[in-house]
Amino acid sequence: MVLLTNVTNNMVVGALMVGVSVPIAISLGIDDIQIVFLITFVSDLALILPASSAPALLMFSNVEWVRPKTAYAFVIPTILVLMLVAFIWNIVVFLFI
């Protein structure tokens, strides 16, 4: 999902993935709210390529503000940390509540 949202619009991919994964989650007995949360969170993390979101396009289009090398140096660790936080939050909220 993260790779797909880096080359297409992340909101469209998120909407498509929710529509496809919720019926599958229900048929497998998985909480559908959990799946929707995870898909929404992951689709909002697409900041690596300019086509993924409007803020990324603005960030990469003006190299006087931010150089692409600098943007990658901050974006990739941020995505990894946020994915770890989401994973831990998912375990705490959905397994212990």
Side-chain angles (χ1 to χ4, degrees):
M1 169 99 176
V2 173
L3 296 176
L4 187 60
T5 59
N6 284 320
V7 294
T8 59
N9 189 329
N10 57 347
M11 296 309 288
V12 173
V13 173
L16 289 172
M17 294 300 289
V18 166
V20 170
S21 62
V22 167
I24 294 172
I26 291 172
S27 68
L28 293 175
I30 301 172
D31 186 17
D32 56 340
I33 296 173
Q34 181 180 7
I35 298 297
V36 170
F37 169 75
L38 290 174
I39 290 172
T40 304
F41 188 77
V42 171
S43 67
D44 288 338
L45 291 178
L47 295 173
I48 295 178
L49 294 176
S52 61
S53 65
L57 176 65
L58 292 173
M59 182 177 67
F60 281 98
S61 65
N62 193 348
V63 295
E64 294 175 5
W65 293 349
V66 178
R67 293 183 181 162
K69 186 176 184 180
T70 307
Y72 288 128
F74 289 103
V75 168
I76 292 173
T78 302
I79 288 174
L80 294 175
V81 168
L82 288 175
M83 287 176 70
L84 180 64
V85 168
F87 180 71
I88 292 169
W89 186 85
N90 188 21
I91 290 173
V92 169
V93 169
F94 290 108
L95 290 181
F96 296 120
I97 292 179

